[in-house]
């Protein structure tokens, strides 16, 4: 199922999805019908999950899959969630969605298990995939000067890049979902222009 008016940014850590979300927030933030979100969410489920990602709370790989799905359920179907916003005519733009679970957690738990746990979530109408190598992404992560999360390691990110590309290829033919692949090494201004043009074409013409 396609969830109309739902837009998702996907890519490995360091790809620039959050930067672009913030650019759009500045551009459309005053519009009453445009909403912004991210996964993990700012809800209590997401706060807990971020502690897991930082390695502060140990959890089995399979447990993490369920935690991500629980947070995602609140993100989509909870009060003031994506389903509510889009049903009322709003546009929701999210930094990450279940494709991230498939790419990251599918490596440790298996694609079929992760896909099964997330099977009831609708597809976005528009998906932007930020394509970048693990080396280039890690340079950006290192430049932040922050402690790395548990998945921010070169070998793992290299595998995640390949997993993402397989996922994008598998979903290319999904009816109703448009996928736009972006060279994440372009300047943030160039990328912002590409994204803005696509959104305007689909929603503001």
């Amino acid at each position: 199922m396609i969830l109309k008016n739902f837009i998702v940014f996907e890519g490995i850590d360091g790809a620039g999805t959050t930067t672009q979300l913030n650019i759009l927030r500045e551009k459309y933030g005053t519009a009453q019908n445009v909403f912004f979100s991210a996964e993990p969410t700012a809800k209590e489920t997401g706060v807990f999950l971020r502690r897991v990602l930082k390695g502060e709370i140990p959890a089995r790989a399979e447990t993490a899959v369920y935690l991500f799905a629980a947070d995602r359920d609140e993100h989509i179907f909870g009060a003031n969630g994506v389903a509510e916003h889009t049903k009322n005519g709003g546009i929701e733009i999210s930094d990450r969605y279940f494709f991230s679970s498939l790419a990251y957690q599918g490596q440790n738990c298996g694609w079929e298990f992760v896909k099964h746990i997330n099977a009831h979530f609708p597809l976005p109408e528009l998906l932007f995939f930020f394509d970048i190598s693990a080396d280039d992404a890690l340079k950006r992560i290192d430049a932040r000067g922050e402690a790395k999360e548990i998945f921010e390691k070169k070998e793992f990110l290299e595998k995640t890049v390949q997993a993402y590309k397989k996922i994008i290829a598998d979903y290319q033919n999904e009816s109703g979902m448009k996928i736009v692949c972006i060279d994440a090494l372009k300047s943030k201004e160039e990328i912002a222009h590409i994204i803005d043009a696509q959104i305007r074409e689909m929603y503001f013409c």
Side-chain angles (χ1 to χ4, degrees):
M1 182 184 81
I2 299 292
L3 186 57
K4 295 290 186 180
N5 295 346
F6 184 31
I7 303 168
V8 170
F9 291 172
E10 284 285 1
I12 64 171
D13 298 333
T17 59
T18 303
T19 295
Q20 292 301 322
L21 190 81
N22 289 334
I23 290 174
L24 282 179
R25 196 193 302 271
E26 291 181 7
K27 188 176 185 65
Y28 294 112
T30 57
Q32 294 183 350
N33 65 334
V34 182
F35 301 88
F36 299 90
S37 55
E39 292 189 1
T41 68
K43 298 174 183 286
E44 289 300 318
T45 48
V47 171
F48 181 85
L49 193 46
R50 288 190 184 279
R51 293 189 64 192
V52 173
L53 290 174
K54 291 178 181 178
E56 297 174 0
I57 300 175
R60 294 177 64 245
E62 290 79 6
T63 301
V65 173
Y66 288 113
L67 290 172
F68 271 102
D71 186 51
R72 185 165 296 127
D73 198 77
E74 286 297 314
H75 180 210
I76 302 299
F77 302 115
N80 295 313
V82 177
E84 181 179 327
H85 291 160
T86 55
K87 180 181 179 181
N88 293 327
I91 295 171
E92 182 100 16
I93 306 170
S94 176
D95 183 2
R96 300 288 187 89
Y97 192 40
F98 71 75
F99 306 99
S100 290
S101 287
L102 291 171
Y104 279 83
Q105 298 167 289
Q107 295 181 52
N108 294 325
C109 301
W111 163 280
E112 291 302 328
F113 172 70
V114 179
K115 191 170 185 179
H116 172 72
I117 297 302
N118 289 276
H120 69 291
F121 294 115
L123 292 169
E125 187 172 30
L126 178 58
L127 171 64
F128 290 97
F129 170 58
F130 292 60
D131 190 8
I132 191 171
S133 71
D135 283 332
D136 287 320
L138 283 169
K139 289 177 184 176
R140 293 180 176 179
I141 293 169
D142 290 337
R144 297 174 189 162
E146 302 173 354
K148 289 186 174 69
E149 294 185 345
I150 58 175
F151 293 132
E152 294 176 342
K153 298 177 176 64
K154 181 177 179 178
E155 183 178 356
F156 188 88
L157 286 181
E158 286 175 338
K159 293 179 180 177
T160 308
V161 169
Q162 296 308 311
Y164 257 126
K165 290 182 176 180
K166 179 183 183 303
I167 291 163
I168 295 302
D170 286 346
Y171 278 95
Q172 281 285 1
N173 296 322
E174 288 287 348
S175 176
M177 180 171 68
K178 182 175 183 179
I179 299 176
V180 178
C181 294
I182 292 176
D183 178 357
L185 288 183
K186 290 181 181 291
S187 70
K188 64 181 181 181
E189 292 80 12
E190 288 179 290
I191 295 172
H193 177 74
I194 293 169
I195 292 170
D196 186 57
Q198 290 289 335
I199 292 176
R200 286 186 178 279
E201 180 183 340
M202 287 187 67
Y203 302 105
F204 297 110
C205 286

